[in-house]
C-alpha cells in the first residue's frame, strides 16, 4: 500500500507537470502583454522613423528644387543666355535691373564681356561677320559700364579697318578703269592692321610703280610741249606724294619749274608790254628846271584816245644829280620819291599833248625826274586807271 501510495504520489507529481495552474496562466497573460507592448513600441518607433524620413526627403527635394530654381533664374545665367540668343534688348534689361552695381556680379560680367569683344574683333578681321553686325554688339557692350572704354576702343579699331577695306575696294575699281594713279593712292591707304588686304596692296603698289612713273613722265612731256608748265609741275608733285624722293620725278620737277619760271616771266613781260602800249595817256617827255627853293617838274602828256581829257593825275619820280632817289618833304603829296601831281582842267583833245607850259613843284635837290600817268577822267564821264603804272613804278623807283 505504501508502495502504491508512493507510486501514486509519483504519478500525480508527474502528471502535475502537464497541468495548467492559475499561476501559470497569469504568467502567460503577463508575457503576452509585454510582447504586445514591445511590438507597439517598435511599431511606434518605426512610424516615427518613417515620418521623419518622409519629412527629410521633402526637405531635400525642396532644397534641390530651390537650388535648381535659383540656378535657372540667376542673373548671370539669364544674361549669358540672352547674349547666346542674341537678344540684346533682354540682356540690357537684365544687366541694368539685376547686375549693374553688384560687386559680386560685375567682375564676372567684365571678364565674359572682354572675351566677347575679342571674339567680335577676331570675327570681323577674319570677315566672318559684317561691320554692321559687329556694330550691333559693340553698341550693346558700350552700354555696359565696366567695359565701355574697351568697347569704344574696339569700335574705333574696327572703323579703321573698315575704312582700309573701303580703300582697297576703291583701288581695285580704279585699277579696272586703268587709273593707275588713283589705284596706287588707295592702295597706299590700306593699313597694316588690315592683314587680309595689306600684303596684296603692297604687292600691287610694287607692280604698278614702273608703268605709273612712265605714264606720268610721258604726260609731263606732252604738257611741256603745250607750254602747260604749271600743270606739268602739279602732276609731278602729285606723283611725288605717292613716291617721295623718286629721283626721276624730282629731276623732272626741277626742269619743269625752271621752264615754268621762264615762261611766267615771259608772260609777265608780255602783259606789261601790252599795258604799256595800250595806255590811253602817255608821258612823252619828263624833265626838271632849277628854281630858288623848289624845282619845277614838267611832264608832257599825250591823249591817245578819241575822247577829250578833263583831268589826270601823273606820278613823278625824283632823283638827284647822281641818279639816287629824292624823297618828298611833305608826304601829303606822295610817298618816298613819288610825287602825285594833279592837272587843272587841261582839256586835252584827241591825239593832242599837254604840259609844256604846266609844271609841278618838286624837291630842290631833284634834278632828274621820270613820269607816268596814274589815272584820267574824260568829259563823257568815264574814268581810266592805268594798269601799267604799278609795274612802271616798281621797275623805275630805285634808280634813274
Amino acid at each position: 500500500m505504501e508502495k502504491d501510495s508512493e507510486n501514486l504520489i509519483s504519478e500525480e507529481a508527474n502528471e502535475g507537470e502537464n497541468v495548467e495552474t492559475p499561476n501559470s496562466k497569469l504568467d502567460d497573460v503577463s508575457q503576452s502583454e509585454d510582447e504586445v507592448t514591445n511590438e507597439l513600441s517598435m511599431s511606434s518607433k518605426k512610424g516615427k522613423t518613417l515620418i521623419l524620413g518622409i519629412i527629410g526627403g521633402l526637405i531635400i527635394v525642396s532644397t534641390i528644387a530651390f537650388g535648381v530654381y535659383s540656378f535657372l533664374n540667376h542673373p548671370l545665367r539669364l544674361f549669358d543666355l540672352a547674349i547666346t540668343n542674341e537678344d540684346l534688348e533682354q540682356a540690357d534689361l537684365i544687366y541694368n535691373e539685376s547686375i549693374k552695381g553688384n560687386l559680386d556680379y560685375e567682375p564676372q560680367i567684365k571678364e565674359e564681356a572682354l572675351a566677347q569683344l575679342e571674339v567680335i574683333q577676331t570675327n570681323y578681321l577674319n570677315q566672318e561677320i559684317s561691320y554692321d553686325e559687329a556694330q550691333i554688339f559693340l553698341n550693346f557692350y558700350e552700354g555696359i559700364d565696366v567695359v565701355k572704354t574697351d568697347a569704344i576702343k574696339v569700335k574705333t579699331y574696327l572703323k579703321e579697318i573698315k575704312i582700309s577695306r573701303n580703300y582697297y575696294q576703291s583701288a581695285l575699281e580704279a585699277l579696272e578703269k586703268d587709273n593707275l594713279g588713283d589705284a596706287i593712292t588707295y592702295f597706299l591707304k590700306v593699313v597694316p592692321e588690315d592683314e587680309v588686304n595689306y600684303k596684296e596692296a603692297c604687292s600691287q603698289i610694287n607692280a604698278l610703280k614702273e608703268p605709273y612713273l612712265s605714264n606720268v613722265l610721258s604726260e609731263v612731256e606732252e604738257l611741256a610741249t603745250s607750254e602747260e608748265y604749271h600743270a606739268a609741275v602739279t602732276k609731278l608733285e602729285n606723283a611725288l606724294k605717292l613716291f617721295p624722293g623718286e629721283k626721276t620725278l624730282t629731276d623732272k620737277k626741277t626742269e619743269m619749274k625752271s621752264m615754268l619760271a621762264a615762261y611766267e616771266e615771259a608772260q609777265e613781260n608780255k602783259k606789261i608790254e601790252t599795258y604799256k602800249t595800250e595806255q590811253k595817256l602817255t608821258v612823252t617827255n619828263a624833265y626838271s628846271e632849277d628854281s630858288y627853293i623848289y624845282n619845277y617838274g614838267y611832264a608832257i602828256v599825250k591823249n591817245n584816245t578819241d575822247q577829250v581829257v578833263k583831268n589826270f593825275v601823273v606820278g613823278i619820280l625824283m632823283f638827284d644829280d647822281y641818279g639816287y632817289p629824292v624823297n618828298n618833304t611833305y608826304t601829303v603829296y606822295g610817298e618816298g620819291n613819288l610825287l602825285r601831281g594833279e592837272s587843272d582842267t587841261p582839256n586835252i583833245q584827241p591825239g593832242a599833248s599837254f604840259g609844256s607850259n604846266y609844271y609841278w613843284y618838286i624837291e630842290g635837290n631833284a634834278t632828274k625826274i621820270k613820269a607816268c600817268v596814274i589815272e584820267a577822267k574824260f568829259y563823257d564821264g568815264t574814268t581810266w586807271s592805268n594798269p601799267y603804272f604799278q609795274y612802271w613804278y616798281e621797275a623805275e623807283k630805285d634808280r634813274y
Side-chain angles (χ1 to χ4, degrees), residues 172-294:
L172 296 180
E173 292 172 1
L175 200 56
E176 288 180 0
K177 299 176 183 178
D178 203 30
N179 191 333
L180 303 187
D182 285 350
I184 294 172
T185 298
Y186 290 130
F187 278 133
L188 284 170
K189 292 182 178 182
V190 177
V191 297
E193 292 78 6
D194 183 10
E195 296 179 2
V196 176
N197 298 318
Y198 182 71
K199 185 177 180 180
E200 179 62 23
C202 292
S203 177
Q204 288 281 9
I205 291 169
N206 291 332
L208 295 174
K209 180 178 179 179
E210 288 305 319
Y212 170 72
L213 293 179
S214 178
N215 287 351
V216 168
L217 294 174
S218 177
E219 291 172 5
V220 166
E221 289 296 337
E222 292 179 5
L223 292 170
T225 301
S226 304
E227 295 187 330
E228 297 180 55
Y229 302 108
H230 191 276
V233 171
T234 299
K235 181 170 284 293
L236 289 166
E237 288 175 344
N238 289 336
L240 282 166
K241 291 177 183 178
L242 304 182
F243 299 102
E246 177 62 35
K247 192 174 186 306
T248 55
L249 297 176
T250 55
D251 289 348
K252 200 65 178 179
K253 179 184 174 182
T254 300
E255 178 187 349
M256 288 298 106
K257 288 193 76 171
S258 177
M259 295 178 71
L260 173 62
Y263 175 77
E264 288 179 339
E265 182 180 0
Q267 290 299 108
E268 186 73 1
N269 291 336
K270 183 178 179 180
K271 181 175 68 174
I272 292 171
E273 188 61 28
T274 299
Y275 287 157
K276 180 180 180 179
T277 57
E278 291 180 354
Q279 291 180 98
K280 293 185 176 183
L281 276 72
T282 54
V283 175
T284 58
N285 193 16
Y287 56 93
S288 65
E289 286 185 357
D290 293 339
S291 180
Y292 182 68
I293 299 177
Y294 289 99

Side-chain angles (χ1 to χ4, degrees), residues 15 36 142 190 231 262 340:
E15 290 177 357
V36 171
E142 191 176 348
V190 177
R340 294 176 181 272

Side-chain angles (χ1 to χ4, degrees), residues 43 50 242 375 394:
S43 176
L50 179 60
L242 304 182
E375 60 187 22
E394 293 296 335

Side-chain angles (χ1 to χ4, degrees), residues 26-38:
L26 288 174
D27 290 339
D28 292 339
V29 171
S30 176
Q31 182 181 0
S32 299
E33 289 178 353
D34 290 339
E35 291 176 354
V36 171
T37 301
N38 290 334

Side-chain angles (χ1 to χ4, degrees), residues 320-365:
D320 61 17
D321 288 337
Y322 302 99
Y324 291 103
V326 175
N327 291 336
N328 288 289
T329 302
Y330 301 101
T331 56
V332 68
Y333 299 110
E335 63 280 343
N337 65 329
L338 176 66
L339 172 70
R340 294 176 181 272
E342 295 187 16
S343 66
D344 184 16
T345 60
N347 297 324
I348 308 174
Q349 299 299 310
S353 296
F354 169 85
S356 58
N357 297 318
Y358 194 93
Y359 60 84
W360 290 268
Y361 290 110
I362 60 176
E363 296 294 325
N365 59 338

Side-chain angles (χ1 to χ4, degrees), residues 2-205:
E2 290 180 1
K3 183 177 179 182
D4 294 335
S5 178
E6 290 176 1
N7 290 334
L8 178 63
I9 294 170
S10 177
E11 290 176 359
E12 290 177 353
N14 291 336
E15 290 177 357
E17 290 179 2
N18 297 320
V19 176
E20 293 182 0
T21 64
N23 288 335
S24 66
K25 290 182 177 179
L26 288 174
D27 290 339
D28 292 339
V29 171
S30 176
Q31 182 181 0
S32 299
E33 289 178 353
D34 290 339
E35 291 176 354
V36 171
T37 301
N38 290 334
E39 290 177 1
L40 289 173
S41 175
M42 293 181 64
S43 176
S44 175
K45 288 180 180 180
K46 290 179 180 179
K48 290 179 180 179
T49 302
L50 179 60
I51 292 170
L52 290 174
I54 293 172
I55 293 173
L58 291 174
I59 292 173
I60 293 172
V61 171
S62 298
T63 302
I64 293 172
F66 179 76
V68 171
Y69 175 83
S70 298
F71 170 75
L72 293 176
N73 290 277
H74 195 284
L76 295 179
R77 179 185 176 279
L78 294 177
F79 180 84
D80 289 340
L81 185 61
I83 294 294
T84 302
N85 293 332
E86 299 185 6
D87 190 349
L88 300 185
E89 184 177 349
Q90 179 66 14
D92 183 66
L93 181 65
I94 294 169
Y95 171 76
N96 286 294
E97 290 186 352
S98 305
I99 298 175
K100 185 176 181 180
N102 188 310
L103 298 181
D104 293 327
Y105 295 166
E106 283 194 337
Q108 297 182 58
I109 287 293
K110 181 175 182 178
E111 183 179 352
E112 293 177 9
L114 289 175
Q116 285 297 321
L117 289 174
E118 182 69 26
V119 170
I120 293 168
Q121 177 174 303
T122 301
N123 287 347
Y124 178 71
L125 293 178
N126 294 336
Q127 297 183 332
E128 295 176 7
I129 60 173
S130 69
Y131 180 77
D132 290 339
E133 288 172 332
Q135 289 301 298
I136 291 173
F137 283 94
L138 291 175
N139 289 336
F140 166 73
Y141 282 114
E142 191 176 348
I144 306 298
D145 292 345
V146 291
V147 291
K148 180 176 182 179
T149 302
D150 302 278
I152 291 174
K153 288 181 180 178
V154 175
K155 284 182 70 174
T156 301
Y157 176 66
L158 295 194
K159 184 176 182 180
E160 292 176 357
I161 300 300
K162 178 179 181 292
I163 293 172
S164 177
R165 289 176 176 175
N166 288 342
Y167 281 136
Y168 183 81
Q169 187 60 40
S170 296
L172 296 180
E173 292 172 1
L175 200 56
E176 288 180 0
K177 299 176 183 178
D178 203 30
N179 191 333
L180 303 187
D182 285 350
I184 294 172
T185 298
Y186 290 130
F187 278 133
L188 284 170
K189 292 182 178 182
V190 177
V191 297
E193 292 78 6
D194 183 10
E195 296 179 2
V196 176
N197 298 318
Y198 182 71
K199 185 177 180 180
E200 179 62 23
C202 292
S203 177
Q204 288 281 9
I205 291 169

